[in-house]
Amino acid sequence: MKPIFIKTLSTISLAAMMQMASAGNITDINVSTLSNNQKVIKIKFDKDVVQPSGFITTTPARIALDFPSTGIQLVQPVLEYSDSLLNQITAAQNNDRARILLNLAKAGEYNTEIKGNEVWVYLDEATSQTTTSPQSAAKRSEMVSQTTPVQTEGTPKKTANSEFANIDFRKGNRSSGIIELNIPGFEGKPVINQQSNSLTITLKNYPLPAQAQRNLDVTDFSTPVRIVTMKRLGNDTQIQIKTQGSWDVDTQSSGNRMSFTVSPKLDIASQGFQAKNSNKSFKGRKVSLDFQDVEVRTILQILAKESGTNIVASDSVNGKMTLTLKDVPWDQALDLVMQARNLDMRRQGNIINVAPRDELLAKDKSTLQAQNEINNLGPLFSQTFQLKYKNVEEFKKILRLEDSGSSSSSSNSILSSRGSALIDPSTNTLIITDNTSIIQKFQKLIEELDVPARQVMVEARIVEANDGFSRDIGVKFGAAGGGRNSWGSNWSDAIGNRNTYVNNQNSPDSKPFMLNPNINLPTAAATSSIALVRAIGSGALGLELSAMQAQNKGKIISNPRVLTQDRKEASIESGTEIPYEEATSSGATSVQFKKAVLGLTVTPNITPDGQVIMTVQINKDSVDLSCSAVTPCITTKKLTTQAMVENGGTLIVGGIYEEENSNGVNKVPLLGDIPVLGNLFKSRSRTEARRELLIFITPRIMDNQGSSLRY
């Protein structure tokens, strides 16, 4: 009974394969959204693309597309969408005809076009709500199909956006989002910036026309990708992919086409051993198997025929299995068979060797032992490597070499126990003597390490701003006998003029005298004053008013900058060294120096996403001349920090703000408290001072363009 069952199953499978071989098959369906909310449904064929015929109904709102002589090979025949127009896509097989049914939320209309191995269905909302019968709709659809230009693979494509960049999105395996980018005419290298919630691709010097800009909202596909935006920035084109959750990206490029696969990240630590197997990816052709108590070798033979791969089974592979699988990739079916029978495989090109796991491990072990014996007994070869960018002295630490050139620790060295390495600093050359496998490792190692280091220009800007105001008002006056009025620019000048006037008098009673002030409350540093001596009868009254007001504003900008390599410390200083004498324990003196400099010390670290992490130390010193100590006094402003800044961005890494306000009054007790007249017996002072210090820092990645400074 079992042979009859197997024979019948083989006959049915052969008939189905012959039928599918005579016609094309629909293998994939993708949906994209254009800027005008128009939907594009892309139906992919493996061969023999045909123009569909269809009809439209409004109650319910549906569009049916029939593809004659076409089969269906879809992973998921029903696709659900949460959209204002498209709700569901259903694929069904009816004899030799395939039907694609579009379930709509409202009445719609469509147009079709063949592009390569795909049929593009342009879906829009209906301009008229008139109910259309299936017959009339079919006739209308056939007329549209006849007037639509058919384009094959050999015909050049002539679309409105064919010469511009175009972007498309589709859902892949394991809930991954696939973004396909077509960039005709772009010859540069895209700049990719990856962050935690976004992925940005910049095409330098590749302007995008306004009509080619796209904004795709793909949140409903349940992938890590939420929004895909393609827009123009100046003379560049930027593609921004906004994501959610934890994800990984796989980038593939072929000519003018790029593909970005954004997949959710698997938490292997929490899932244990099961996660290790779930991380496997199977992309083989889907097969269906239904066997009971069938030899394992027979199952391997059937999988070899279905996959077109040569499978060689070892003589020790035996046993029977009962297997029922439906629409499973053939490589996954092979993996299940090997796990069930404790088998393993080794792939060599198009040949897969299947044998018990212990047998393959023993074979691998013997191969490695034989290779080890060859390395220990085989001939040694010498090869010279001239380094281009790295210093050969740096390889001493990597190779753990002694001065003699031999390995200092054979267990931790790349060299074998018989190998040696010599360096020539004058020519920056490394000479390796070892077996062939070790020399090949060195070739790969030097290709990866001997590369130009990226350079960073770090610029610091230190801004100091001062704003000050002061005002002093004072008075001094006195009285004495005899004389006339006398003016002067100050008290001494007024007295001198008074005495001169008296000496020039012809009266015998006229004689010089000094008029000393009885009240003296002037300002401490008056910039100007005015004095009056007034004769009153035989006496005189002297009065001097003095006032001072000062206002000052200042700004000091310091701008140190330095160029250094990635992960290399660099420093720059500008200032003076102040000498001073210092006594020793023996009584002798020695001259020491103390620095007062403007300095910048920085160590940049370029991250994979193009950011710069910097360890920064900034000093802004000045000499305090008012200090009377033997050792020079230094007024210092210092900043030490670590910050992350984007390439070309400016960040405020520090700041200090100081403000001083003071009001003072000097007066004669009791007399200074008299209303109005008390102002003659007091002096006032007012001082305001504000100081602010801001420190900015800007890193720029030079992209190996040299160390030329750009101002």
Side-chain angles (χ1 to χ4, degrees):
M1 189 65 184
K2 295 179 183 178
I4 297 176
F5 173 75
I6 297 174
K7 184 177 179 180
T8 303
L9 181 62
S10 302
T11 304
I12 296 174
S13 302
L14 182 62
M17 294 177 61
M18 292 179 62
Q19 181 182 355
M20 300 300 291
S22 62
N25 299 310
I26 298 176
T27 59
D28 196 8
I29 299 177
N30 298 315
V31 179
S32 301
T33 304
L34 301 181
S35 57
N36 56 356
N37 203 25
Q38 185 185 38
K39 300 294 185 294
V40 181
I41 304 170
K42 302 177 181 180
I43 304 173
K44 188 176 181 180
F45 288 72
D46 57 355
K47 62 178 181 178
D48 297 335
V49 182
V50 295
Q51 188 76 21
S53 62
F55 60 88
I56 302 174
T57 62
T58 57
T59 308
R62 290 179 179 176
I63 297 177
L65 302 175
D66 292 333
F67 297 83
S69 303
T70 304
I72 294 178
Q73 292 185 356
L74 296 174
V75 179
Q76 189 175 353
V78 180
L79 303 177
E80 301 286 344
Y81 299 94
S82 179
D83 187 75
S84 59
L85 178 60
L86 181 61
N87 289 339
Q88 187 184 71
I89 300 178
T90 304
Q93 184 75 42
N94 185 8
N95 296 328
D96 62 341
R97 181 181 65 180
R99 169 168 290 184
I100 304 299
L101 186 63
L102 308 179
N103 294 320
L104 309 178
K106 62 184 73 172
E109 57 186 14
Y110 76 98
N111 197 359
T112 60
E113 184 180 2
I114 296 179
K115 291 190 175 185
N117 63 338
E118 294 180 346
V119 175
W120 287 22
V121 182
Y122 298 90
L123 180 63
D124 287 310
E125 295 183 11
T127 57
S128 177
Q129 300 296 329
T130 305
T131 303
T132 308
S133 63
Q135 293 80 6
S136 61
K139 293 181 180 179
R140 179 186 172 194
S141 179
E142 291 176 359
M143 293 176 61
V144 173
S145 300
Q146 293 175 2
T147 57
T148 303
V150 178
Q151 188 163 7
T152 61
E153 291 188 33
T155 307
K157 302 179 181 180
K158 296 181 180 180
T159 60
N161 298 329
S162 62
E163 67 271 18
F164 306 135
N166 190 23
I167 197 167
D168 190 19
F169 175 85
R170 61 185 176 90
K171 186 176 182 181
N173 298 328
R174 298 188 300 109
S175 300
S176 62
I178 302 175
I179 300 95
E180 296 179 346
L181 178 63
N182 183 23
I183 45 178
F186 181 72
E187 299 179 354
K189 185 177 181 182
V191 180
I192 301 176
N193 186 9
Q194 181 177 345
Q195 298 182 357
S196 60
N197 58 350
S198 65
L199 180 68
T200 304
I201 303 101
T202 304
L203 309 177
K204 295 290 186 179
N205 299 322
Y206 188 74
L208 184 72
Q211 62 268 28
Q213 297 185 127
R214 296 288 185 269
N215 187 15
L216 308 179
D217 189 352
V218 295
T219 308
D220 297 334
F221 286 88
S222 300
T223 68
V225 183
R226 295 190 296 112
I227 298 175
V228 182
T229 304
M230 183 170 65
K231 60 184 179 180
R232 177 173 178 175
L233 290 180
N235 200 37
D236 305 332
T237 297
Q238 185 185 82
I239 299 95
Q240 188 176 34
I241 304 171
K242 294 184 178 181
T243 60
Q244 59 184 355
S246 180
W247 51 275
D248 290 322
V249 62
D250 181 25
T251 304
Q252 296 180 357
S253 173
S254 177
N256 292 329
R257 303 184 72 88
M258 297 188 67
S259 176
F260 303 91
T261 303
V262 182
S263 306
K265 193 178 288 185
L266 297 177
D267 189 5
I268 299 186
S270 62
Q271 298 180 11
F273 178 77
Q274 186 178 1
K276 182 178 179 181
N277 295 329
S278 64
N279 198 25
K280 294 182 179 180
S281 177
F282 303 102
K283 300 180 180 179
R285 179 182 176 184
K286 296 184 181 297
V287 295
S288 297
L289 303 176
D290 189 2
F291 299 106
Q292 185 176 0
D293 292 336
V294 179
E295 293 287 340
V296 175
R297 303 176 68 90
T298 303
I299 298 176
L300 296 177
Q301 184 179 2
I302 295 173
L303 292 177
K305 292 180 180 180
E306 291 291 334
S307 63
T309 307
N310 299 316
I311 299 179
V312 179
S314 174
D315 294 337
S316 54
V317 176
N318 50 32
K320 296 182 179 181
M321 289 187 61
T322 299
L323 197 63
T324 302
L325 300 174
K326 183 178 181 181
D327 293 335
V328 177
W330 73 266
D331 47 353
Q332 185 177 6
L334 178 62
D335 185 73
L336 292 174
V337 172
M338 291 190 299
Q339 291 184 18
R341 305 302 302 177
N342 196 24
L343 302 176
D344 204 350
M345 69 175 184
R346 298 290 185 269
R347 184 187 293 269
Q348 297 179 354
N350 196 30
I351 300 176
I352 298 177
N353 295 316
V354 179
R357 185 173 287 107
D358 296 337
E359 180 180 334
L360 291 178
L361 292 177
K363 186 177 179 181
D364 294 340
K365 184 178 180 180
S366 62
T367 302
L368 294 175
Q369 290 178 350
Q371 184 64 38
N372 188 29
E373 293 178 357
I374 293 175
N375 294 334
N376 293 332
L377 302 176
L380 300 179
F381 302 90
S382 297
Q383 187 166 346
T384 302
F385 302 94
Q386 188 173 15
L387 305 183
K388 299 178 181 178
Y389 305 102
K390 298 292 185 180
N391 190 349
V392 71
E393 295 286 347
E394 299 179 8
F395 281 79
K396 271 190 172 182
K397 182 183 284 186
I398 299 175
L399 302 176
R400 301 179 182 270
L401 298 177
E402 301 288 349
D403 294 335
S404 61
S406 61
S407 173
S408 61
S409 178
S410 59
S411 59
N412 297 325
S413 176
I414 301 177
L415 297 172
S416 66
S417 58
R418 304 167 59 202
S420 62
L422 300 176
I423 60 175
D424 185 8
S426 61
T427 60
N428 204 37
T429 302
L430 180 67
I431 305 172
I432 304 298
T433 302
D434 215 317
N435 55 62
T436 306
S437 61
I438 299 297
I439 291 178
Q440 291 176 354
K441 291 181 180 179
F442 267 95
Q443 289 179 343
K444 185 177 181 180
L445 177 65
I446 292 175
E447 289 177 358
E448 295 178 354
L449 298 182
D450 191 23
V451 294
R454 305 181 71 180
Q455 301 184 109
V456 182
M457 172 68 72
V458 181
E459 178 182 358
R461 186 177 293 265
I462 306 170
V463 181
E464 296 179 88
N466 300 318
D467 188 3
F469 173 83
S470 63
R471 175 184 293 171
D472 293 326
I473 300 177
V475 62
K476 61 181 178 179
F477 62 92
R484 298 283 195 274
N485 297 334
S486 181
W487 290 88
S489 61
N490 53 51
W491 189 273
S492 298
D493 191 16
I495 295 295
N497 293 339
R498 172 67 180 171
N499 293 334
T500 302
Y501 179 75
V502 171
N503 290 330
N504 292 334
Q505 300 295 317
N506 296 323
S507 175
D509 296 334
S510 301
K511 58 182 180 179
F513 66 96
M514 296 298 295
L515 184 63
N516 295 322
N518 304 104
I519 305 298
N520 186 6
L521 293 173
T523 62
T527 56
S528 61
S529 62
I530 185 171
L532 168 66
V533 177
R534 170 67 180 173
I536 306 176
S538 61
L541 176 66
L543 175 67
E544 180 179 359
L545 298 175
S546 59
M548 187 272 294
Q549 179 172 319
Q551 186 173 2
N552 63 84
K553 292 184 178 181
K555 183 171 66 173
I556 303 174
I557 299 178
S558 306
N559 190 202
R561 63 180 68 183
V562 64
L563 178 70
T564 182
Q565 291 186 353
D566 183 25
R567 304 176 187 271
K568 297 291 185 180
E569 181 180 298
S571 62
I572 185 172
E573 292 182 349
S574 176
T576 183
E577 289 190 352
I578 306 170
Y580 65 96
E581 291 185 354
E582 186 179 38
T584 61
S585 58
S586 61
T589 59
S590 61
V591 179
Q592 303 292 331
F593 291 89
K594 197 171 185 179
K595 288 185 177 182
V597 299
L598 168 65
L600 170 65
T601 302
V602 61
T603 304
N605 182 9
I606 303 175
T607 64
D609 58 352
Q611 309 251 15
V612 182
I613 299 176
M614 296 176 295
T615 302
V616 184
Q617 178 176 329
I618 299 176
N619 287 35
K620 181 67 170 64
D621 303 334
S622 60
V623 183
D624 188 2
L625 300 177
S626 63
C627 181
S628 59
V630 178
T631 305
C633 298
I634 306 296
T635 302
T636 182
K637 301 177 180 66
K638 183 177 180 181
L639 170 70
T640 302
T641 185
Q642 187 178 57
M644 183 173 69
V645 191
E646 63 179 1
N647 181 26
T650 301
L651 183 68
I652 302 178
V653 295
I656 299 175
Y657 179 79
E658 298 176 289
E659 183 173 355
E660 296 181 5
N661 296 318
S662 64
N663 291 299
V665 178
N666 297 324
K667 63 181 180 180
V668 178
L670 299 179
L671 296 178
D673 297 330
I674 301 174
V676 182
L677 294 178
N679 294 322
L680 299 175
F681 301 93
K682 65 176 66 174
S683 64
R684 296 183 178 89
S685 64
R686 175 188 172 189
T687 304
E688 297 178 359
R690 290 183 293 273
R691 295 178 295 275
E692 187 172 10
L693 172 67
L694 293 176
I695 300 176
F696 304 84
I697 194 160
T698 303
R700 294 182 177 90
I701 301 175
M702 304 303 292
D703 290 330
N704 300 323
Q705 296 178 359
S707 60
S708 58
L709 300 180
R710 295 174 173 86
Y711 295 91

